[in-house]
Amino acid sequence: MDQEQEFYNRGLEKAQAGDFAGAVREFDRVLRINPQLVEAYYKRGKCRFELGDRTGAIADYNQALQLQPERTEIYLSRGLTKLALKDNAGALADAEQSLKLNNNLAAAYSLQGTAYRRLGNLAEAIASFKQAANIYLAEKDKQNCQRCINSITEIQAEQNRAQTALATHASFYDRVLQKVQRGELTQALEDLNWLIQADYNDAQAYSYRGMVLSKLGYNQQAIADLNKALQLNSQILPAYCYRAMVRMEMGDYGGAINDCNQALQIDPNYIDAYIYRGNAHHKSANHRLAIEDYSRAIKEKLDEPEAYYQRAIARLDFQDIPGAIDDYQQAANIYFNRGDWQKYREVLEQIKKVQSRPQGEQRKNYSDFFSHAKSKPLTELQKQLITMVGGYPDIAERLVNLARYKYPGMSEEWYWEKAIRDLERDR
């Protein structure tokens, strides 16, 4: 027996015994002697697959097919390896090439069905598995026939689930949001994956999935989904806010503000956009603009507790302790009326923390420095500042009071001009 055959036989023996690394070494020896031996490439590719070396297996199958391009089993082995590498389109191409060479090959139809299924082409997948099952049945291969039938049953269940979801979008999304609120993020993600598989153009599904992915910490994937949602439908306002939320997590406060601005261009009364933009301003230490946005949200909806809560935090950073306590109390009252006891208790804890601050800090109430008589007609400067803060005289007063506190001894006009200049600078 010549060395080539000896090494090849030893490779087969070691592969059969499960010593795939040893088998690869023997096939290496064979190919050094005869680099044209198709079987050695093919067998080495199968051993490399078993060792987890998918790339090496593909390289061997490619070499084998260059030498002998009509070997259906090599296409099938390469297709299965591509499936393992999540190259579903490549696996489908290999299955189809096998069927061109032999249109009665059950394994090729089975591979085709698996690739179609992973690509989301469920009707085509069922047709392929039916073809495979019929051939396996004719060959009296009961086990593989049953496996194909099981795959068909599973896909039909997937179709029913997707169709049910598509028929009742509103209730489906409600259930997803309920899962998110309960912290069942993985289950919510699974539901949205099914929905997107059923309809690749469902912008709302991408929007919700982006939100869930962000909560799971997958920020880049979340951004990709939200971009896709807005590409499909630029009018989905929550997608802008979800993307703003992710960008804030990534430290991109300017991008977050821009997203909220885009939402407000579509709907100037969209409350969530004001709250998220307020959050972005707050995180970038622009407390005045944050307070303006939260106030605008409250103006649009007086019983929005999140706006009061966030404005309280911003007012604390703005050293407006009484205003912060007032806002916390408003949020607590709303949560109490809604019966949301967890949130109610959380807000009460925040009030206690603020009230437990040293008395000197609590007394920083800038309204003590407000000296002009409210009964007097408003000056042009006062009107300008009130307009700049969204028509809220209390916010304008607090800005002027802060200037009085920091710069005592200046004229009344100077304080109002200073507040206006600071706002213009921060915009």
Side-chain angles (χ1 to χ4, degrees):
M1 181 183 299
D2 60 21
Q3 275 193 322
E4 177 185 328
Q5 190 64 45
E6 180 183 351
F7 292 149
Y8 181 78
N9 290 342
R10 288 207 314 233
L12 293 179
E13 290 170 2
K14 290 186 177 182
Q16 189 173 7
D19 179 10
F20 300 113
V24 168
R25 288 193 292 272
E26 297 300 334
F27 293 130
D28 287 344
R29 291 171 180 167
V30 174
L31 291 168
R32 281 197 290 270
I33 297 170
N34 181 4
Q36 303 298 310
L37 187 61
V38 174
E39 285 300 321
Y41 286 112
Y42 176 47
K43 299 297 185 185
R44 189 174 70 177
K46 292 175 75 70
C47 290
R48 282 177 165 171
F49 180 89
E50 295 295 336
L51 290 168
D53 180 10
R54 313 293 197 225
T55 304
I58 292 286
D60 275 342
Y61 296 142
N62 289 344
Q63 188 65 41
L65 287 169
Q66 283 183 5
L67 296 169
Q68 200 168 346
E70 296 188 357
R71 290 281 297 275
T72 57
E73 67 270 28
I74 302 177
Y75 283 110
L76 292 176
S77 293
R78 190 174 70 176
L80 290 170
T81 307
K82 288 178 178 179
L83 281 181
L85 291 169
K86 301 188 185 307
D87 179 9
N88 301 316
L92 180 61
D94 277 341
E96 291 176 346
Q97 183 61 37
S98 295
L99 290 170
K100 285 181 181 178
L101 297 169
N102 182 356
N103 65 1
N104 198 43
L105 196 59
Y109 283 112
S110 179
L111 173 62
Q112 185 184 55
T114 302
Y116 273 137
R117 183 179 182 180
R118 293 190 182 182
L119 289 166
N121 302 332
L122 301 185
E124 292 89 341
I126 289 175
S128 295
F129 281 124
K130 282 182 178 178
Q131 286 278 15
N134 288 333
I135 296 171
Y136 281 131
L137 184 62
E139 294 173 351
K140 299 183 180 179
D141 187 341
K142 182 178 179 180
Q143 183 177 356
N144 278 319
C145 178
Q146 187 61 52
R147 182 176 55 80
C148 292
I149 292 172
N150 291 342
S151 294
I152 292 170
T153 302
E154 291 170 3
I155 294 170
Q156 288 173 335
E158 293 170 17
Q159 286 181 315
N160 291 337
R161 181 180 178 181
Q163 287 168 358
T164 300
L166 289 169
T168 57
H169 266 54
S171 60
F172 180 83
Y173 288 133
D174 284 343
R175 290 195 298 273
V176 167
L177 291 176
Q178 288 168 12
K179 288 180 180 180
V180 172
Q181 290 168 358
R182 293 194 300 265
E184 300 169 2
L185 299 177
T186 303
Q187 295 90 325
L189 180 62
E190 189 176 307
D191 285 344
L192 292 165
N193 286 342
W194 285 117
L195 191 57
I196 289 171
Q197 188 178 52
D199 182 2
Y200 283 102
N201 294 315
D202 190 331
Q204 190 83 328
Y206 284 105
S207 177
Y208 279 120
R209 192 172 72 173
M211 177 266 290
V212 173
L213 286 169
S214 71
K215 289 180 178 295
L216 287 167
Y218 302 121
N219 289 332
Q220 293 296 344
Q221 295 94 319
I223 289 288
D225 265 2
L226 294 165
N227 288 345
K228 178 70 172 179
L230 291 169
Q231 177 186 348
L232 291 169
N233 184 353
S234 63
Q235 303 299 303
I236 297 184
L237 297 179
Y240 290 105
C241 289
Y242 294 150
R243 194 168 66 180
M245 177 180 68
V246 179
R247 285 178 166 163
M248 278 187 274
E249 285 291 323
M250 300 171 72
D252 180 12
Y253 304 128
I257 290 169
N258 183 59
D259 274 336
C260 295
N261 289 342
Q262 290 185 65
L264 289 169
Q265 284 178 0
I266 298 169
D267 182 358
N269 300 318
Y270 187 49
I271 295 170
D272 286 354
Y274 286 110
I275 293 176
Y276 279 97
R277 192 173 70 178
N279 293 346
H281 283 312
H282 184 214
K283 285 180 177 292
S284 57
N286 204 331
H287 307 309
R288 291 187 184 89
L289 292 182
I291 290 171
E292 282 186 46
D293 276 336
Y294 298 138
S295 299
R296 179 59 186 270
I298 290 167
K299 182 179 179 181
E300 294 297 330
K301 188 177 180 183
L302 291 174
D303 63 343
E304 178 50 62
E306 184 67 14
Y308 286 107
Y309 187 85
Q310 294 297 338
R311 192 171 71 175
I313 297 172
R315 280 177 162 169
L316 281 177
D317 290 335
F318 202 57
Q319 296 300 309
D320 180 4
I321 307 302
I325 292 175
D326 287 345
D327 277 343
Y328 276 136
Q329 192 61 61
Q330 287 282 2
N333 292 341
I334 296 170
Y335 284 129
F336 181 86
N337 291 333
R338 291 182 180 181
D340 190 338
W341 308 119
Q342 181 180 347
K343 288 286 189 181
Y344 175 69
R345 287 191 292 270
E346 287 176 7
V347 178
L348 289 185
E349 284 300 315
Q350 293 300 320
I351 294 174
K352 289 178 183 178
K353 287 180 182 179
V354 176
Q355 290 175 334
S356 66
R357 292 186 175 192
Q359 290 298 313
E361 186 175 350
Q362 287 193 44
R363 283 197 294 267
K364 289 181 181 177
N365 183 353
Y366 302 121
S367 62
D368 294 341
F369 298 91
F370 188 74
S371 60
H372 77 277
K374 294 183 180 179
S375 60
K376 293 181 180 179
L378 293 174
T379 67
E380 289 303 315
L381 286 174
Q382 290 169 338
K383 290 178 182 178
Q384 181 181 350
L385 180 58
I386 291 170
T387 299
M388 290 175 71
V389 297
Y392 299 98
D394 61 323
I395 296 177
E397 290 178 6
R398 293 183 193 281
L399 294 175
V400 173
N401 289 338
L402 180 62
R404 288 197 186 92
Y405 181 74
K406 289 184 175 180
Y407 307 99
M410 308 301 289
S411 70
E412 183 67 15
E413 184 177 349
W414 186 91
Y415 291 125
W416 287 86
E417 288 178 343
K418 171 65 174 170
I420 291 170
R421 287 198 304 272
D422 287 345
L423 271 181
E424 289 174 339
R425 180 198 64 203
D426 292 339
R427 287 184 186 276

